[in-house]
Amino acid sequence: SSSSSSSSSSSSSQSSRRFRHSSASLARSARLFFQTALPGRPAAKARPQEASSLDRDIISIALPALATMAIDPLMAMIDTMFVGRLGVVQLGAVGAASMVFKFSFSLFNFLAKTTTPLVAHALVNSDHARASRTIAQNIWVAVAVGAVLAATLFFAATPLTALLLGAAPGVHSPMLPHAVAYVRYRAVAAPAVLLTYVASGAFRGFKDTVTPLYVAGLSNLTNFLLDAVLMFCCGMGVAGAALATAVAQGVTAVGLVGFMIQRRMVQWRHLLMRPERETLMEIAASSVFSIRTMSILTAHAMAGAIVARLGAAASAAYAIGRQLWSFQAIALDSFEVAAQSLVAEALGRQDSKAARTISIRLLQMGIIAGTFLGVGTILAAPTLVSFFTADPIVQRLAARSIPLFSVLQPISAAVFIYDGIFAAARDYAHTAKAVVMAGLAATAWLLLTRRWWNIATTGISAVWPGLVVVWMGMNVLTLARALLLGARFLSPSGPIPPFDRTAKPRRNSGSTFLTL
């Protein structure tokens, strides 16, 4: 009995020491992070010219990427502006239908995240043939999966949109026919969208985000002109908006692939080759991001379904808020593109210290940009909503909603940058687990608050509190992602450790520090 007690005490003591050691390591990591990552502090002990060169690299990638990555939400925003002139019912229908594409297309954005580090690593080793084969094989995967996705969306348009609109079986929703038409006309562009993901990832691997900018400009111009012609001149209404978007997405895909072939980023002979097992295994490994994306989008879909039960005005206001929120996300996601390109290149050189320096500088710049973006959107809220609708009730609801999500934009910036860092490090599994947990937290919030407001059964007399509940659920998602991914970034066991594990501790004012 005494021996058993002694063994138990020893085991408890060891567990306690391991816990204290882990806590101390995390504390040191956090201290180092806040010493370097807060705005105004140096990212690392680098010479001024090196820091300036890094800033130029980040800006040269992030700014053009902003326009390129904004293509889908920008086209959706243009659709929303035009559809808003058709009426509140049509606007609410397009808001729900857009969630179908947000959910289905985003499940495959791992194609870009896979392509970028593979291409970057090949180029660092001067293996251009390998880069070409990687791009070509990912193109084939994108086209094949996109064709299946297009057929699925076309034939399942009615049940999918009915689910998002919260329409009970046998109950006709005035928004349903418009939502179904939007889904079916836009679904034909699914192969082009997935192909665009691969092409975008390839250009990021080459650290070229300028060429996609030109293609994005042409695509958006096409969408704008076709919206006006098809919706109003041809009288197609909502279906015209969807077809205009589909054609514009096709222009994007064709343009990007054309430039890649012209510049020999991908060679014809590689496009005719069967995919290699190694590449397919890498794609399969990164597909865990689909689980991550599904958990996030499930929370968004649940939020949309709750709002749909509040009526057409609430759905329209939420659609406007989501378009602005998506545009904010894309603006900040441009820093993720820079992280994918620059961090992947540094890791391809086996230079983890440079990767850490780049990561911290990106966090500095992203947090500052997120602060300005959030404040600017809040101040411009009344003007922004007037572009989407003339309905005074919808305008008031949308304008009051904007500060609810805009205030967290600095934290959102950090979340996107973490995504880019871990994608570059090909840390797929840990990232997916963290974001799944965040998605579950947001979903739990929405389920609990839905029961509290009893929206699903009896509805609520005031629409505004329901919108507050939904947007707070989205904020739970952002905060949970920031907490979990930030902990991984600060962890000594992460893919880019916050200090040199081999360095000896040195004393500084009575505290122990480890050098970056």
Side-chain angles (χ1 to χ4, degrees):
S1 175
S2 175
S3 175
S4 174
S5 175
S6 175
S7 174
S8 175
S9 175
S10 175
S11 175
S12 175
S13 176
Q14 289 177 1
S15 298
S16 178
R17 283 197 298 270
R18 284 197 297 268
F19 176 77
R20 287 197 301 269
H21 176 73
S22 299
S23 299
S25 296
L26 185 60
R28 286 196 300 269
S29 302
R31 183 164 59 244
L32 281 167
F33 172 75
F34 286 112
Q35 284 176 340
T36 56
L38 289 176
R41 294 182 180 270
K45 294 180 179 178
R47 291 189 295 272
Q49 60 267 30
E50 292 177 348
S52 177
S53 176
L54 175 57
D55 287 351
R56 285 196 299 271
D57 285 344
I58 292 172
I59 293 171
S60 67
I61 294 174
L63 284 183
L66 171 61
T68 305
M69 295 181 64
I71 184 169
D72 195 58
L74 184 56
M75 286 192 290
M77 188 180 295
I78 292 172
D79 284 345
T80 304
M81 290 180 180
F82 276 105
V83 173
R85 304 302 172 184
L86 298 176
V88 173
V89 171
Q90 290 86 343
L91 184 58
V94 170
S98 296
M99 280 301 300
V100 173
F101 296 102
K102 178 70 174 177
F103 191 93
S104 56
F105 289 167
S106 295
L107 286 177
F108 300 97
N109 64 8
F110 67 84
L111 291 170
K113 296 179 183 294
T114 304
T115 307
T116 300
L118 291 177
V119 170
H121 288 187
L123 294 177
V124 165
N125 295 302
S126 301
D127 192 348
H128 290 269
R130 179 62 185 168
S132 175
R133 288 196 303 272
T134 298
I135 296 169
Q137 291 163 19
N138 283 5
I139 285 176
W140 279 114
V141 172
V143 172
V145 175
V148 174
L149 179 60
T152 302
L153 291 176
F154 185 88
F155 291 108
T158 300
L160 287 174
T161 52
L163 177 65
L164 288 174
L165 289 170
V171 178
H172 176 74
S173 168
M175 292 185 281
L176 185 59
H178 299 290
V180 170
Y182 189 87
V183 170
R184 286 181 172 167
Y185 274 90
R186 191 174 165 186
V188 297
V193 173
L194 270 58
L195 181 55
T196 298
Y197 288 156
V198 172
S200 298
F203 277 103
R204 294 170 196 173
F206 277 85
K207 297 201 299 184
D208 177 8
T209 54
V210 175
T211 299
L213 171 61
Y214 299 140
V215 178
L218 176 61
S219 178
N220 277 283
L221 178 61
T222 301
N223 184 61
F224 181 82
L225 295 176
L226 288 179
D227 262 336
V229 172
L230 296 177
M231 289 178 65
F232 301 107
C233 297
C234 298
M236 292 182 66
V238 168
L243 184 58
T245 300
V247 172
Q249 288 171 331
V251 169
T252 303
V254 171
L256 291 176
V257 172
F259 276 116
M260 285 196 297
I261 293 174
Q262 180 190 31
R263 298 176 183 180
R264 299 185 64 79
M265 294 167 58
V266 61
Q267 300 177 26
W268 278 111
R269 61 189 180 92
H270 292 146
L271 287 171
L272 301 176
M273 292 173 58
R274 293 175 58 184
E276 297 176 356
R277 188 175 186 277
E278 182 182 350
T279 300
L280 293 178
M281 291 297 292
E282 182 72 22
I283 294 174
S286 66
S287 65
V288 71
F289 272 115
S290 292
I291 302 174
R292 156 195 175 274
T293 304
M294 187 178 297
S295 65
I296 295 173
L297 294 180
T298 296
H300 282 287
M302 182 176 294
I306 291 174
V307 170
R309 291 178 171 87
L310 298 177
S315 294
Y318 184 68
I320 293 171
R322 273 199 56 80
Q323 292 300 330
L324 292 173
W325 179 87
S326 296
F327 192 77
Q328 288 178 330
I330 291 300
L332 298 175
D333 215 10
S334 60
F335 288 101
E336 179 186 353
V337 175
Q340 289 180 27
S341 299
L342 297 175
V343 174
E345 183 185 47
L347 292 176
R349 298 193 307 266
Q350 305 296 316
D351 191 347
S352 60
K353 183 176 180 180
R356 186 73 185 184
T357 300
I358 293 167
S359 300
I360 291 177
R361 186 55 178 161
L362 280 163
L363 286 167
Q364 291 176 342
M365 297 175 71
I367 290 171
I368 293 172
T371 301
F372 279 102
L373 181 62
V375 172
T377 305
I378 291 172
L379 295 177
T383 302
L384 290 173
V385 299
S386 66
F387 288 115
F388 292 94
T389 180
D391 188 290
I393 296 177
V394 176
Q395 283 186 352
R396 284 198 297 272
L397 288 172
R400 292 178 65 184
S401 299
I402 288 174
L404 297 178
F405 56 85
S406 294
V407 71
L408 286 187
Q409 291 313 300
I411 297 176
S412 295
V415 167
F416 295 134
I417 293 168
Y418 287 143
D419 280 344
I421 293 168
F422 295 133
R426 296 153 78 180
D427 190 26
Y428 304 132
H430 283 91
T431 305
K433 289 176 185 177
V435 182
V436 166
M437 292 175 65
L440 290 174
T443 301
W445 165 273
L446 292 171
L447 287 172
L448 291 173
T449 52
R450 186 182 73 170
R451 181 179 296 276
W452 178 41
W453 287 106
N454 204 21
I455 294 171
T457 55
T458 61
I460 56 174
S461 57
V463 170
W464 169 243
L467 287 175
V468 172
V469 163
V470 169
W471 282 116
M472 288 299 100
M474 299 299 96
N475 287 347
V476 168
L477 177 65
T478 299
L479 290 170
R481 289 176 69 187
L483 177 64
L484 295 170
L485 294 176
R488 177 67 173 167
F489 183 72
L490 294 173
S491 172
S493 61
I496 308 176
F499 52 81
D500 186 354
R501 299 176 193 173
T502 63
K504 295 182 179 180
R506 57 185 174 83
R507 294 288 176 179
N508 187 342
S509 303
S511 300
T512 299
F513 293 91
L514 294 175
T515 58
L516 279 169

